[in-house]
């Protein structure tokens, strides 16, 4: 037997999670239902969040967007594509239209998979995850959110409320490698954000380490060597070195989707390509 909890308000959802911390939250169910169907997980209770209206809303406070955890990939593409182009680009690569209509940003974060497609763009953009419980609300930088494969800093009584992320102030790119073009888990993925106003670069690596991660040394290198005063064509040696530093930041493994060596090589290619595309976009 499995209990099915259906709160109608955010306060009720937090109260239910406090009372039943073992309850697994469900929004789109695109990850949870797979685990249930394959009997990889058998929780004593599910916490249905689809009836909580606050979770499906998004808004802005100046340049900062607050994207509710229940906002779907389709809505990210349709409604936020111009504000968060990197995240929208990643959302377009997720599953099928049916999956994108159901899957949510909060569910992607809650699963905490190293291969989650939404994670690298959030890392590149410097996003913050808003967590809530009956004890209160706290904000955790997404770079600190993941603690291991499918593990995060979420406390047993906490739920993901929203993601806080600045709207893009420069070009953003996302690319991934898979064993086919659609309906596939990434072998490796990479996101890039250029911030020309402050001459900085953001990165996000997916499916090539125990957790999604940034490539800090690559960010520093690109920020220091890009010809911000241009516009000038991107130096191929600069792009190649950037790719090498991104590859060095990964910690991949061999598995059924690809070898560690292939993941490192593919990341260097993805990093070089996305930097080139972003720079070409910036220079017009």
């Amino acid at each position: 037997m499995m209990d099915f909890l259906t709160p109608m308000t955010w306060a009720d959802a937090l109260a239910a999670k406090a009372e039943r911390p073992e309850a697994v939250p469900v929004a789109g169910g695109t990850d949870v239902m797979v685990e249930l169907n394959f009997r990889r997980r058998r929780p004593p209770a599910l916490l249905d969040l689809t009836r909580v209206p606050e979770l499906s809303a998004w808004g802005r406070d100046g340049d900062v967007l607050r994207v509710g955890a229940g906002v779907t990939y389709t809505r990210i593409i349709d409604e936020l594509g111009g504000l968060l182009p990197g995240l929208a680009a990643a959302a377009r690569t997720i599953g099928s239209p049916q999956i994108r209509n159901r899957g949510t940003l909060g569910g992607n974060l809650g699963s905490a998979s190293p291969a989650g497609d939404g994670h690298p763009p959030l890392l590149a953009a410097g996003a913050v995850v808003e967590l809530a419980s009956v004890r209160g609300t706290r904000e955790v930088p997404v770079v600190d959110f993941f603690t291991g494969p499918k593990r995060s800093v979420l406390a047993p009584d906490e739920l993901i409320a929203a993601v806080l992320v600045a709207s893009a102030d420069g070009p953003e790119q996302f690319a991934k490698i898979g064993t086919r073009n659609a309906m596939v888990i990434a072998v490796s993925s990479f996101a890039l954000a250029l911030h020309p106003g402050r001459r900085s670069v953001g990165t996000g690596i997916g499916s090539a380490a125990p957790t999604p991660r940034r490539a800090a040394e690559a960010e520093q290198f690109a920020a220091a060597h890009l010809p911000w005063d241009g516009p000038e064509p991107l130096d191929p040696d600069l792009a190649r070195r950037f790719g090498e530093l991104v590859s060095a930041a990964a910690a991949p493994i061999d598995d059924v989707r690809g070898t560690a060596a292939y993941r490192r090589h593919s990341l260097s290619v993805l990093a070089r390509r996305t930097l080139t595309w972003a720079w070409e976009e910036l220079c017009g």
Side-chain angles (χ1 to χ4, degrees), residues 78-112:
D78 293 344
E79 300 173 26
L80 294 167
L83 299 171
L84 301 173
L87 185 60
R92 292 186 188 98
T93 73
I94 294 173
S96 62
Q98 295 91 335
I99 294 295
R100 293 192 290 273
N101 286 342
R102 292 290 301 173
T104 64
L105 183 60
N108 200 220
L109 281 166
S111 295

Short mmCIF file of all heavy atoms in Angstrom, two decimals, residues 78-112:
data_model
loop_
_atom_site.label_atom_id
_atom_site.label_comp_id
_atom_site.label_asym_id
_atom_site.label_seq_id
_atom_site.Cartn_x
_atom_site.Cartn_y
_atom_site.Cartn_z
N ASP A 78 8.57 28.25 -24.22
CA ASP A 78 7.62 29.19 -24.81
C ASP A 78 7.60 30.55 -24.13
O ASP A 78 7.46 31.58 -24.80
CB ASP A 78 6.21 28.59 -24.76
CG ASP A 78 6.04 27.38 -25.65
OD1 ASP A 78 6.90 27.16 -26.53
OD2 ASP A 78 5.06 26.63 -25.45
N GLU A 79 7.72 30.57 -22.81
CA GLU A 79 7.54 31.81 -22.07
C GLU A 79 8.85 32.45 -21.60
O GLU A 79 8.89 33.66 -21.36
CB GLU A 79 6.64 31.54 -20.85
CG GLU A 79 5.26 31.01 -21.21
CD GLU A 79 4.46 30.59 -19.99
OE1 GLU A 79 4.72 31.13 -18.89
OE2 GLU A 79 3.59 29.71 -20.13
N LEU A 80 9.91 31.65 -21.47
CA LEU A 80 11.15 32.17 -20.92
C LEU A 80 12.33 32.06 -21.88
O LEU A 80 13.46 32.36 -21.51
CB LEU A 80 11.50 31.43 -19.61
CG LEU A 80 10.53 31.67 -18.45
CD1 LEU A 80 10.78 30.68 -17.33
CD2 LEU A 80 10.68 33.09 -17.93
N GLY A 81 12.06 31.65 -23.11
CA GLY A 81 13.14 31.45 -24.07
C GLY A 81 13.96 32.69 -24.33
O GLY A 81 15.18 32.62 -24.50
N GLY A 82 13.32 33.87 -24.35
CA GLY A 82 14.05 35.10 -24.58
C GLY A 82 14.79 35.62 -23.37
O GLY A 82 15.75 36.38 -23.51
N LEU A 83 14.37 35.19 -22.18
CA LEU A 83 15.00 35.65 -20.94
C LEU A 83 16.07 34.69 -20.44
O LEU A 83 17.07 35.10 -19.85
CB LEU A 83 13.93 35.82 -19.86
CG LEU A 83 12.83 36.84 -20.15
CD1 LEU A 83 11.72 36.76 -19.11
CD2 LEU A 83 13.41 38.25 -20.19
N LEU A 84 15.85 33.40 -20.65
CA LEU A 84 16.79 32.36 -20.22
C LEU A 84 17.08 31.44 -21.41
O LEU A 84 16.69 30.27 -21.43
CB LEU A 84 16.19 31.55 -19.06
CG LEU A 84 15.82 32.34 -17.80
CD1 LEU A 84 15.09 31.45 -16.80
CD2 LEU A 84 17.06 32.95 -17.15
N PRO A 85 17.80 31.94 -22.41
CA PRO A 85 18.00 31.14 -23.62
C PRO A 85 18.79 29.86 -23.41
O PRO A 85 18.55 28.87 -24.10
CB PRO A 85 18.74 32.11 -24.56
CG PRO A 85 19.34 33.14 -23.65
CD PRO A 85 18.40 33.28 -22.51
N GLY A 86 19.72 29.86 -22.47
CA GLY A 86 20.48 28.63 -22.21
C GLY A 86 19.60 27.54 -21.63
O GLY A 86 19.67 26.38 -22.07
N LEU A 87 18.77 27.89 -20.66
CA LEU A 87 17.87 26.92 -20.06
C LEU A 87 16.84 26.45 -21.08
O LEU A 87 16.48 25.27 -21.13
CB LEU A 87 17.19 27.53 -18.84
CG LEU A 87 16.29 26.60 -18.02
CD1 LEU A 87 17.08 25.42 -17.47
CD2 LEU A 87 15.63 27.36 -16.88
N ALA A 88 16.34 27.37 -21.90
CA ALA A 88 15.38 26.99 -22.93
C ALA A 88 16.01 26.04 -23.95
O ALA A 88 15.37 25.09 -24.40
CB ALA A 88 14.83 28.24 -23.62
N ALA A 89 17.27 26.31 -24.32
CA ALA A 89 17.96 25.42 -25.26
C ALA A 89 18.09 24.02 -24.69
O ALA A 89 17.90 23.02 -25.40
CB ALA A 89 19.33 26.00 -25.60
N ALA A 90 18.39 23.92 -23.39
CA ALA A 90 18.48 22.61 -22.75
C ALA A 90 17.11 21.94 -22.71
O ALA A 90 16.99 20.73 -22.96
CB ALA A 90 19.05 22.75 -21.35
N ALA A 91 16.07 22.72 -22.40
CA ALA A 91 14.72 22.16 -22.32
C ALA A 91 14.29 21.56 -23.65
O ALA A 91 13.57 20.55 -23.68
CB ALA A 91 13.74 23.24 -21.87
N ARG A 92 14.72 22.16 -24.76
CA ARG A 92 14.34 21.63 -26.08
C ARG A 92 14.92 20.25 -26.35
O ARG A 92 14.42 19.52 -27.20
CB ARG A 92 14.80 22.60 -27.18
CG ARG A 92 14.06 23.92 -27.18
CD ARG A 92 14.44 24.77 -28.39
NE ARG A 92 13.86 26.11 -28.27
CZ ARG A 92 14.53 27.17 -27.81
NH1 ARG A 92 15.81 27.04 -27.47
NH2 ARG A 92 13.93 28.34 -27.72
N THR A 93 15.98 19.88 -25.64
CA THR A 93 16.62 18.59 -25.87
C THR A 93 16.05 17.48 -24.99
O THR A 93 16.47 16.33 -25.10
CB THR A 93 18.14 18.67 -25.61
OG1 THR A 93 18.40 18.75 -24.20
CG2 THR A 93 18.76 19.88 -26.30
N ILE A 94 15.14 17.82 -24.10
CA ILE A 94 14.64 16.86 -23.11
C ILE A 94 13.49 16.05 -23.69
O ILE A 94 12.46 16.60 -24.10
CB ILE A 94 14.19 17.58 -21.83
CG1 ILE A 94 15.40 18.22 -21.14
CG2 ILE A 94 13.49 16.61 -20.87
CD1 ILE A 94 15.06 19.09 -19.95
N GLY A 95 13.67 14.75 -23.74
CA GLY A 95 12.60 13.83 -24.04
C GLY A 95 11.82 14.14 -25.31
O GLY A 95 12.37 14.55 -26.34
N SER A 96 10.52 13.96 -25.22
CA SER A 96 9.57 14.18 -26.31
C SER A 96 8.67 15.35 -25.93
O SER A 96 8.71 15.84 -24.80
CB SER A 96 8.72 12.93 -26.48
OG SER A 96 7.98 12.69 -25.30
N PRO A 97 7.81 15.82 -26.85
CA PRO A 97 6.86 16.88 -26.46
C PRO A 97 6.02 16.49 -25.25
O PRO A 97 5.74 17.34 -24.39
CB PRO A 97 5.99 17.04 -27.71
CG PRO A 97 6.90 16.67 -28.84
CD PRO A 97 7.75 15.54 -28.29
N GLN A 98 5.63 15.22 -25.16
CA GLN A 98 4.82 14.79 -24.01
C GLN A 98 5.60 14.92 -22.71
O GLN A 98 5.06 15.36 -21.69
CB GLN A 98 4.37 13.34 -24.21
CG GLN A 98 3.43 13.14 -25.39
CD GLN A 98 4.17 12.80 -26.67
OE1 GLN A 98 5.33 13.15 -26.83
NE2 GLN A 98 3.48 12.12 -27.58
N ILE A 99 6.89 14.54 -22.74
CA ILE A 99 7.73 14.67 -21.54
C ILE A 99 7.93 16.13 -21.19
O ILE A 99 7.86 16.53 -20.02
CB ILE A 99 9.09 13.98 -21.77
CG1 ILE A 99 8.91 12.46 -21.93
CG2 ILE A 99 10.05 14.29 -20.62
CD1 ILE A 99 8.40 11.76 -20.70
N ARG A 100 8.17 16.97 -22.20
CA ARG A 100 8.37 18.39 -21.93
C ARG A 100 7.10 19.06 -21.40
O ARG A 100 7.17 20.04 -20.65
CB ARG A 100 8.87 19.10 -23.20
CG ARG A 100 10.26 18.64 -23.61
CD ARG A 100 10.85 19.53 -24.68
NE ARG A 100 10.20 19.40 -25.97
CZ ARG A 100 10.52 18.50 -26.90
NH1 ARG A 100 11.48 17.62 -26.65
NH2 ARG A 100 9.89 18.48 -28.06
N ASN A 101 5.95 18.55 -21.78
CA ASN A 101 4.69 19.09 -21.27
C ASN A 101 4.46 18.74 -19.81
O ASN A 101 3.72 19.43 -19.11
CB ASN A 101 3.52 18.56 -22.10
CG ASN A 101 3.43 19.21 -23.46
OD1 ASN A 101 4.00 20.27 -23.69
ND2 ASN A 101 2.73 18.56 -24.39
N ARG A 102 5.05 17.64 -19.35
CA ARG A 102 4.84 17.18 -17.98
C ARG A 102 6.02 17.49 -17.05
O ARG A 102 5.82 17.87 -15.90
CB ARG A 102 4.61 15.66 -17.97
CG ARG A 102 3.32 15.20 -18.61
CD ARG A 102 2.12 15.58 -17.78
NE ARG A 102 2.18 15.01 -16.43
CZ ARG A 102 1.32 15.30 -15.46
NH1 ARG A 102 0.33 16.14 -15.69
NH2 ARG A 102 1.44 14.75 -14.27
N GLY A 103 7.24 17.30 -17.54
CA GLY A 103 8.42 17.44 -16.71
C GLY A 103 8.61 18.87 -16.23
O GLY A 103 8.29 19.84 -16.94
N THR A 104 9.14 19.03 -15.02
CA THR A 104 9.28 20.35 -14.41
C THR A 104 10.72 20.64 -14.01
O THR A 104 11.53 19.72 -13.79
CB THR A 104 8.41 20.45 -13.15
OG1 THR A 104 8.87 19.51 -12.17
CG2 THR A 104 6.94 20.19 -13.48
N LEU A 105 11.02 21.91 -13.89
CA LEU A 105 12.35 22.33 -13.47
C LEU A 105 12.67 21.84 -12.06
O LEU A 105 13.76 21.35 -11.78
CB LEU A 105 12.45 23.86 -13.54
CG LEU A 105 13.81 24.47 -13.21
CD1 LEU A 105 14.88 23.97 -14.16
CD2 LEU A 105 13.72 25.99 -13.26
N GLY A 106 11.69 21.94 -11.16
CA GLY A 106 11.91 21.47 -9.79
C GLY A 106 12.11 19.98 -9.72
O GLY A 106 12.92 19.49 -8.92
N GLY A 107 11.38 19.23 -10.55
CA GLY A 107 11.57 17.78 -10.56
C GLY A 107 12.95 17.40 -11.05
O GLY A 107 13.57 16.46 -10.52
N ASN A 108 13.46 18.13 -12.05
CA ASN A 108 14.81 17.89 -12.55
C ASN A 108 15.84 18.10 -11.45
O ASN A 108 16.76 17.28 -11.26
CB ASN A 108 15.06 18.82 -13.73
CG ASN A 108 16.19 18.39 -14.64
OD1 ASN A 108 16.97 19.21 -15.11
ND2 ASN A 108 16.29 17.11 -14.92
N LEU A 109 15.68 19.19 -10.70
CA LEU A 109 16.59 19.46 -9.59
C LEU A 109 16.42 18.43 -8.47
O LEU A 109 17.41 17.95 -7.91
CB LEU A 109 16.33 20.85 -9.04
CG LEU A 109 16.91 22.02 -9.82
CD1 LEU A 109 16.31 23.33 -9.36
CD2 LEU A 109 18.43 22.05 -9.69
N GLY A 110 15.18 18.09 -8.15
CA GLY A 110 14.94 17.14 -7.06
C GLY A 110 15.53 15.78 -7.33
O GLY A 110 16.01 15.12 -6.41
N SER A 111 15.53 15.35 -8.59
CA SER A 111 16.15 14.06 -8.93
C SER A 111 17.65 14.10 -8.75
O SER A 111 18.28 13.08 -8.47
CB SER A 111 15.80 13.68 -10.37
OG SER A 111 14.42 13.46 -10.53
N ALA A 112 18.25 15.29 -8.94
CA ALA A 112 19.69 15.50 -8.72
C ALA A 112 20.56 14.54 -9.52
O ALA A 112 21.64 14.16 -9.08
CB ALA A 112 20.03 15.41 -7.22
#
